[in-house]
Amino acid sequence: MTWLLLMALPSLCMGQSLSIRIGSIDFFGTAGVDVAPLRAALPVHPGDTLAEAKLADAKEQVSSVVTTITGAPPTDFSAVCCDAGGGWMIYIGLRGKNSHEIHHLPSPTGSECLPKSAVSLYNDTMDELLLAIRANEAGEDDSKGYALARYPPLRQSQLALRAYAVDHSQLIEHVARNCHTAENRAAAVDLLGYANQSKRQIDALVRASNDSDSTVRNNAIRALWVLASSSKKAAAMIPARHFVALLNSGKWDDRNKAGLLLAALARNGDARLLSDLRSRALDSLVEMARWQNPGHADPYRFLLGKIAGLSKSRIKNLIASGNVGDLISAAEKTVPSKSH
């Protein structure tokens, strides 16, 4: 499904070009917040072009505006590359009633980390992924339980990750849990996604999805999504409840990857999961379903359709037609009261 592929793209374009064009600006954590005056007061707008070196300044300016209007600084400012037209998508986190602080694991202090060669394998893969995104060649095959790109240079790097992970599974698991540097843990967790599928692998990835570092969490949840998408057996070993909580996170990466994974876990209509989504995350699903970029919004639209009990074909048709309002209304009608 195309929207899943788009959802899988990380925000790793920083520092890679001279200028950027803003394609869209969306918010999250908006429950109880009047977004209209905030949007009107922003110093950046869709269609603006700015030097990438000025993005940090734009972030500070946005933070000042949000603080002035809402009384609190934003929880996040994520600039994500790139939409179908090459524009960047900006996501701003607010401190509304549906924004919750997520308590993560303490940062580890262990000294055993990956060798430089393994970290280089990971960094090379990230560089090739960026090139694939910019070449509009980010499609991949996840059927083996790990990502294999159609873009040949990226696929070659991923096969190198696979070879290393199979031969060093115990090391990368240990590093993912204990290494004191976030860069090493991020690389180790990405490698974990290329190890042989097992409950031990999945348990390690679930633990890493609660790491103190957002990139580590991002890599872990993405790997779990690939596993859940490729194997019902793997999906059955992934506990969903923790990831429902991440839909209310103040960080865009948490929400983005949690939506991706939960859309895969909800395919079979698990009643307990859908009830949990309805009771704990409906406001967040609704606001994110309204995001402008379909590649980021469609998984939440899918989850709303599942909550509403709509057929797969009906959900597909409503998403394809952009009829978000009907999906939202159908999901909200399943709530006994307005207490959500």
Side-chain angles (χ1 to χ4, degrees):
M1 299 175 70
T2 302
W3 55 268
L4 290 177
L5 294 176
L6 289 170
M7 279 283 290
L9 305 182
S11 51
L12 47 76
C13 295
M14 303 296 293
Q16 297 294 319
S17 65
L18 297 178
S19 65
I20 67 170
R21 179 179 57 79
I22 299 174
S24 61
I25 300 175
D26 281 301
F27 298 88
F28 58 93
T30 61
V33 179
D34 186 359
V35 173
L38 179 56
R39 185 181 290 278
L42 288 177
V44 291
H45 309 87
D48 288 353
T49 299
L50 64 156
E52 194 168 329
K54 296 295 185 181
L55 194 58
D57 293 338
K59 179 178 179 180
E60 290 185 7
Q61 294 166 10
V62 167
S63 179
S64 178
V65 168
V66 171
T67 303
T68 299
I69 292 179
T70 69
T75 62
D76 196 13
F77 177 99
S78 286
V80 186
C81 175
C82 296
D83 63 21
W88 285 41
M89 298 153 283
I90 292 178
Y91 294 94
I92 301 168
L94 306 179
R95 297 179 187 270
K97 296 176 182 178
N98 62 326
S99 179
H100 302 160
E101 183 180 0
I102 307 296
H103 297 285
H104 300 295
L105 294 168
S107 298
T109 58
S111 59
E112 185 177 2
C113 300
L114 290 174
K116 290 182 180 179
S117 58
V119 177
S120 293
L121 281 177
Y122 168 71
N123 289 333
D124 289 347
T125 303
M126 294 300 101
D127 290 342
E128 294 294 349
L129 176 58
L130 175 57
L131 294 175
I133 293 170
R134 288 187 161 169
N136 198 26
E137 295 284 349
E140 65 185 36
D141 173 14
D142 299 321
S143 62
K144 296 181 183 297
Y146 49 88
L148 285 177
R150 298 190 183 99
Y151 184 65
L154 176 54
R155 186 183 184 91
Q156 183 176 356
S157 293
Q158 291 169 330
L159 288 171
L161 292 178
R162 167 67 176 170
Y164 187 91
V166 169
D167 289 341
H168 301 87
S169 59
Q170 289 188 339
L171 170 64
I172 59 178
E173 183 181 331
H174 180 82
V175 171
R177 176 184 286 267
N178 297 303
C179 179
H180 67 284
T181 71
E183 180 188 19
N184 258 258
R185 297 199 307 279
V189 167
D190 198 62
L191 283 161
L192 261 177
Y194 286 86
N196 289 327
Q197 182 178 319
S198 67
K199 186 177 186 305
R200 183 180 178 121
Q201 175 210 27
I202 290 173
D203 288 347
L205 287 169
V206 170
R207 185 184 188 281
S209 73
N210 198 25
D211 193 274
S212 59
D213 181 77
S214 62
T215 302
V216 177
R217 297 196 301 273
N218 181 85
N219 290 356
I221 302 173
R222 190 194 194 287
L224 288 167
W225 164 68
V226 172
L227 285 161
S229 300
S230 65
S231 166
K232 290 183 179 180
K233 180 180 178 181
M237 290 188 280
I238 299 172
R241 188 170 180 80
H242 167 70
F243 301 101
V244 175
L246 290 182
L247 292 174
N248 297 316
S249 172
K251 300 301 180 183
W252 183 83
D253 279 349
D254 287 343
R255 288 181 175 231
N256 173 267
K257 291 304 182 293
L260 181 69
L261 174 58
L262 287 165
L265 295 177
R267 285 178 303 180
N268 296 326
D270 181 281
R272 183 175 180 181
L273 171 56
L274 296 177
S275 176
D276 213 17
L277 287 165
R278 181 187 299 110
S279 63
R280 298 172 60 203
L282 188 58
D283 284 339
S284 291
L285 289 173
V286 167
E287 72 181 4
M288 295 185 294
R290 290 181 171 134
W291 284 349
Q292 298 169 67
N293 182 267
H296 290 155
D298 283 355
Y300 311 112
R301 298 170 183 177
F302 174 80
L303 289 170
L304 288 172
K306 296 297 290 186
I307 289 171
L310 303 180
S311 68
K312 182 178 178 180
S313 61
R314 178 64 173 155
I315 295 171
K316 182 179 179 180
N317 289 337
L318 287 172
I319 290 176
S321 66
N323 200 338
V324 180
D326 280 2
L327 283 166
I328 292 173
S329 296
E332 289 181 334
K333 286 177 181 177
T334 68
V335 181
S337 71
K338 292 294 184 180
S339 61
H340 70 271

